[in-house]
Amino acid sequence: VQLVESGGGLVQPGGSLRLSCSASGYTYSTNCMGWFRQAPGKEREGVAGMSTSGGGTYYADSVKGRFNIPQDNAKNTVYLQMNNLKPEDTAMYYCAQRPTCRLYNWDDPSYYNYWGQGTQVTVS
């Protein structure tokens, strides 16, 4: 299993970025994908998650209404569309994979089996 993120960078407050996570090595269409972030000195936190079969999407309260998690099944790719970015969104962003999403623990990183290398997002 390989997950490769891209799309991070430097953006001004109020701006937008779209992160991509390209997946390979497993059946993409029947799994759970999550986006996490980690700022220096802070714990890794779940930002958004989705069942790639179309079962549901999940968002942290801090990003609801600003972020969404579309996907392109044909490309085995999940995205994180981030709008109205704030300085507190600055972090390293990771995508991760697990077999099945669960509403009550989609944002718990310990349940994810595979992780990408991360991409830095800086809002300043």
Side-chain angles (χ1 to χ4, degrees):
V1 174
Q2 186 174 21
L3 304 174
V4 180
E5 301 103 332
S6 61
L10 174 65
V11 63
Q12 292 183 343
S16 297
L17 277 177
R18 188 179 78 161
L19 307 183
S20 299
C21 174
S22 178
S24 61
Y26 69 100
T27 304
Y28 171 84
S29 61
T30 58
N31 283 266
C32 176
M33 298 296 293
W35 282 101
F36 291 78
R37 65 186 181 188
Q38 189 166 20
K42 294 187 177 181
E43 293 186 352
R44 191 167 295 191
E45 62 171 345
V47 175
M50 73 174 303
S51 172
T52 56
S53 63
T57 55
Y58 315 92
Y59 296 96
D61 288 343
S62 58
V63 306
K64 281 181 180 176
R66 300 190 298 122
F67 292 11
N68 64 77
I69 184 170
Q71 65 172 335
D72 186 336
N73 278 0
K75 296 182 179 179
N76 287 358
T77 300
V78 62
Y79 304 95
L80 185 67
Q81 178 65 46
M82 305 185 293
N83 302 319
N84 190 21
L85 283 160
K86 303 176 181 181
E88 51 264 42
D89 295 318
T90 296
M92 185 72 78
Y93 282 72
Y94 301 87
C95 68
Q97 181 265 351
R98 59 187 273 187
T100 306
C101 286
R102 292 284 183 255
L103 174 62
Y104 55 89
N105 66 9
W106 70 266
D107 56 347
D108 186 339
S110 67
Y111 286 88
Y112 287 78
N113 301 319
Y114 299 98
W115 293 82
Q117 82 287 353
T119 186
Q120 178 68 37
V121 172
T122 302
V123 185
S124 178

